[in-house]
Amino acid sequence: MIAYDILLALDRLILPTDLLACFDIVKIENGSETMTIYLDEQNLPPLSSSTLAHSLESKGFLPAIEIRDFPIRDNKVTLYVQRRKWIDRTTHQIICNTLELTANGTRHSKEFASFLKGLLWRNARLRLALLNAIITLTAISLNGSTKNI
């Protein structure tokens, strides 16, 4: 394996899977408790029936969005993702790829949000079981049995 292939394999383990197909890492900053990874969308215009017949020209990037991802070695990870925009030379409209990079209603990557949701669900079930146990123990201590629970 050459160095590039090794780095690409490592990227696939660390970054959300959707990002690597369309984005390039342009910079990484390491702080004492944070890691910030900057990604730019590749110059791959959207392919749809309406854009195939038109000529598209890259016109830079939209403002970067911030995505929170899984921590790496106890460092918080923030991804700054810049999506590209193109102008349709025929209609003069700005066109962008429609990529869902975050979980709906969050600034978390889809994988990280799914993981957190699983933790919350498990914790909610544990809290409910604990609450039921407390109610049962309280009833036993008050009544001396579990008949009226």
Side-chain angles (χ1 to χ4, degrees):
M1 254 183 156
I2 60 173
Y4 176 79
D5 293 333
I6 293 169
L7 289 175
L8 190 58
L10 186 60
D11 287 347
R12 287 189 178 121
L13 293 172
I14 293 173
L15 294 175
T17 53
D18 298 347
L19 288 180
L20 289 177
C22 303
F23 292 86
D24 293 321
I25 299 171
V26 293
K27 183 168 125 182
I28 298 175
E29 292 177 349
N30 284 318
S32 61
E33 296 179 2
T34 62
M35 177 184 288
T36 306
I37 303 172
Y38 296 85
L39 299 113
D40 288 350
E41 185 174 6
Q42 297 168 1
N43 194 3
L44 302 170
L47 298 175
S48 68
S49 57
S50 61
T51 61
L52 284 176
H54 298 233
S55 177
L56 300 178
E57 179 183 350
S58 179
K59 284 295 184 181
F61 295 94
L62 298 170
I65 61 169
E66 180 181 309
I67 301 173
R68 293 183 203 104
D69 199 25
F70 284 99
I72 299 173
R73 296 200 175 264
D74 296 328
N75 288 318
K76 295 177 186 175
V77 174
T78 302
L79 309 173
Y80 282 98
V81 179
Q82 286 196 112
R83 294 183 48 216
R84 201 172 278 276
K85 61 183 175 180
W86 293 268
I87 189 163
D88 184 326
R89 290 183 183 168
T90 307
T91 64
H92 303 290
Q93 289 183 319
I94 297 293
I95 296 172
C96 300
N97 279 316
T98 54
L99 304 168
E100 292 185 31
L101 303 175
T102 59
N104 204 8
T106 73
R107 288 188 180 215
H108 299 295
S109 66
K110 290 184 232 175
E111 293 95 340
F112 191 40
S114 178
F115 171 77
L116 293 174
K117 184 178 178 182
L119 283 181
L120 289 174
W121 177 246
R122 279 192 299 266
N123 285 340
R125 288 190 308 190
L126 287 173
R127 282 193 299 266
L128 184 58
L130 183 59
L131 182 59
N132 284 334
I134 291 170
I135 291 170
T136 302
L137 290 173
T138 304
I140 290 171
S141 68
L142 293 175
N143 298 333
S145 73
T146 58
K147 287 181 183 177
N148 297 329
I149 298 177

